[in-house]
Amino acid sequence: MNSSSIQNNTQAQVPALPLLAHGRKKKWSYSSLIFSLFYFVPPLFMQDAPSSWVITLIVIGFVTFVFLYLLSVNQPVNRLPYYLTGMILLAYSTSLVNPGGTVIFGFVSFIVGYYYRFSIGIILLLAVSASLIFMKVYLYPTGLFFFLAAGANIAVLFGFGVMERKETLFQQKEAKHAAALGTLSAIAERERIGRDLHDVAGHALSSISLKAQVADKLLTKGRTAEAQAEVKALAQLSQQLLSEIRQTVSGIKQLSLREEIAKNMAKLSEQGFDVMSDVVSDAVSDVNESSFTHLTPLTPLQETQLSLIIKEATTNILRHSKGNQVTLTLQCTNDILNLVIADNGNSRCKTEGNGVKGIRERAELINATVEFQWGSPTVLTLQLPLLAKHNSSEPSA
């Protein structure tokens, strides 16, 4: 299986997948190198101690493998076959002096299992298995244990690659589905607003036009007092129309709290933060599904401001946190909405920046209280009374 055939199959069949060195995959891709230390185990059990030049070749082979592997997990799929070919050739050449060289096949299998179709991976596994049998029979007739371990390593790492590929494709499918639903929701909302504007503005503008014509005729006849009454009625109609239009279009600016949580927690997950899934995709950590059933008292203004607070908190974590875990808790108890966002970074805040000030201003806008705990962990705690009367104090959405 040469590099050109792999590349052609890749371009025709393989969808665009994130790099193995990107986001949360980066941790596993780099930490898995610890399994490559099996490379040095067989020389320790050789009957005859390897000579200095053999030890030098073994070390050079390992350093070359690490270099090629780190390059491979950072390469786009169209350039990947060249690096995989180099790793396969290196595995064969190092196996001539060290049975541990077969461990390199396992890392090749992991990469192939992630980027390529299952059938291509099976072909590679069969070819590698045949190579292992050949080396066992003709090069190392007494090293059965090492080759069995190498075979198990190849099969396990290939399985990990296949599972990671399936999970990534599923996440991409869910993201596309969510984006399509968002687009359809936006179209439906625009159509609703258009219909409402037509119904509201059409009738009101007709009344305004009629009142203006009546006022003009009264002024022409010198009936000033009656004309002034019509003008006052005209002003009232205009104010009423303006109020109704504002209420109608307020839905354009409203954000969905559920969608905003999912979107921002997904950003954290893609940047390598450990964020568990309880509600949407793998986006929300420690959020009880039943919590959302109690959010019906939220006004459009409250839901929008909470969404923006979560968005700003996520931005602050991405910019300033040095941790790798984020927990978002959303609960409703005693008619109070409790929102807690915590990360295990060690943030220090001597002077509050625009982001923190913005969160405080948005919380004040909906009569919520917000507190920050700096250090390790860093915690944002917000409490919003759901049944408080906001009509007299809240601005219009």
Side-chain angles (χ1 to χ4, degrees), residues 6 11 118 208 214 223 237 290 312 317 339 348 359 363 394:
I6 295 179
Q11 293 174 346
F118 185 77
I208 290 173
V214 171
R223 298 161 62 180
L237 279 174
S290 61
E312 184 60 44
I317 293 173
L339 172 67
R348 301 295 178 185
I359 291 175
E394 284 189 2

Side-chain angles (χ1 to χ4, degrees), residues 292-323:
F292 286 99
T293 63
H294 300 290
L295 297 184
T296 50
L298 287 178
T299 66
L301 178 62
Q302 289 173 328
E303 186 168 4
T304 297
Q305 296 305 317
L306 286 173
S307 299
L308 293 173
I309 287 173
I310 292 174
K311 182 177 182 180
E312 184 60 44
T314 301
T315 301
N316 287 342
I317 293 173
L318 291 173
R319 289 180 179 176
H320 306 297
S321 176
K322 297 181 181 179

Side-chain angles (χ1 to χ4, degrees), residues 29-314:
S29 298
Y30 289 167
S31 62
S32 63
L33 281 173
I34 192 172
F35 297 106
S36 67
L37 295 179
F38 176 79
Y39 177 90
F40 294 103
V41 173
L44 299 177
F45 294 90
M46 289 182 177
Q47 295 181 353
D48 299 326
S51 61
S52 58
W53 72 270
V54 171
I55 294 176
T56 302
L57 289 177
I58 291 174
V59 173
I60 292 175
F62 182 77
V63 172
T64 305
F65 155 69
V66 172
F67 177 72
L68 286 175
Y69 176 75
L70 293 179
L71 287 177
S72 298
V73 296
N74 284 279
Q75 297 300 316
V77 69
N78 61 325
R79 297 174 57 184
L80 194 58
Y82 303 105
Y83 295 91
L84 292 180
T85 301
M87 292 176 63
I88 291 174
L89 294 177
L90 180 65
Y92 282 125
S93 59
T94 54
S95 297
L96 296 176
V97 295
N98 174 24
T102 55
V103 75
I104 300 175
F105 289 119
F107 289 87
V108 174
S109 300
F110 172 70
I111 296 174
V112 170
Y114 175 72
Y115 281 109
Y116 296 95
R117 290 182 292 115
F118 185 77
S119 58
I120 294 179
I122 293 299
I123 293 173
L124 175 67
L125 288 181
L126 292 176
V128 170
S129 299
S131 301
L132 291 178
I133 295 174
F134 176 84
M135 286 188 287
K136 169 66 181 64
V137 173
Y138 293 99
L139 296 179
Y140 303 100
T142 60
L144 178 62
F145 170 76
F146 300 117
F147 286 93
L148 290 177
N153 175 64
I154 292 169
V156 170
L157 288 180
F158 176 72
F160 282 153
V162 172
M163 289 188 293
E164 186 67 26
R165 173 188 175 88
K166 289 183 177 180
E167 181 181 356
T168 302
L169 291 175
F170 176 77
Q171 292 174 355
Q172 290 181 336
K173 182 179 179 180
E174 289 293 302
K176 290 180 179 178
H177 181 64
L181 286 178
T183 301
L184 291 175
S185 298
I187 293 174
E189 185 67 6
R190 291 190 186 99
E191 292 178 349
R192 180 194 68 80
I193 292 171
R195 290 193 300 268
D196 291 348
L197 284 175
H198 178 270
D199 295 339
V200 171
H203 174 73
L205 289 175
S206 298
S207 299
I208 290 173
S209 175
L210 180 60
K211 289 287 185 182
Q213 294 175 15
V214 171
D216 179 62
K217 292 180 180 179
L218 291 173
L219 287 174
T220 303
K221 297 179 179 179
R223 298 161 62 180
T224 307
E226 296 179 28
Q228 289 178 344
E230 293 295 334
V231 170
K232 289 181 180 180
L234 179 61
Q236 292 177 354
L237 279 174
S238 301
Q239 290 295 330
Q240 183 179 357
L241 174 60
L242 180 59
S243 176
E244 292 178 350
I245 289 177
R246 284 176 176 172
Q247 293 176 5
T248 301
V249 301
S250 63
I252 298 176
K253 298 181 180 180
Q254 181 180 351
L255 298 178
S256 168
L257 182 58
R258 179 195 291 267
E259 293 178 2
E260 201 66 26
I261 290 175
K263 181 173 64 176
N264 286 281
M265 294 298 102
K267 288 181 181 178
L268 291 170
S269 180
E270 282 299 319
Q271 294 303 316
F273 285 87
D274 184 11
V275 183
M276 300 175 61
S277 171
D278 281 334
V279 176
V280 181
S281 182
D282 60 342
V284 182
S285 173
D286 197 17
V287 178
N288 192 333
E289 177 72 26
S290 61
S291 297
F292 286 99
T293 63
H294 300 290
L295 297 184
T296 50
L298 287 178
T299 66
L301 178 62
Q302 289 173 328
E303 186 168 4
T304 297
Q305 296 305 317
L306 286 173
S307 299
L308 293 173
I309 287 173
I310 292 174
K311 182 177 182 180
E312 184 60 44
T314 301

Side-chain angles (χ1 to χ4, degrees), residues 384-397:
L384 171 65
L386 293 180
L387 299 184
K389 301 299 182 180
H390 300 291
N391 295 335
S392 60
S393 59
E394 284 189 2
S396 171

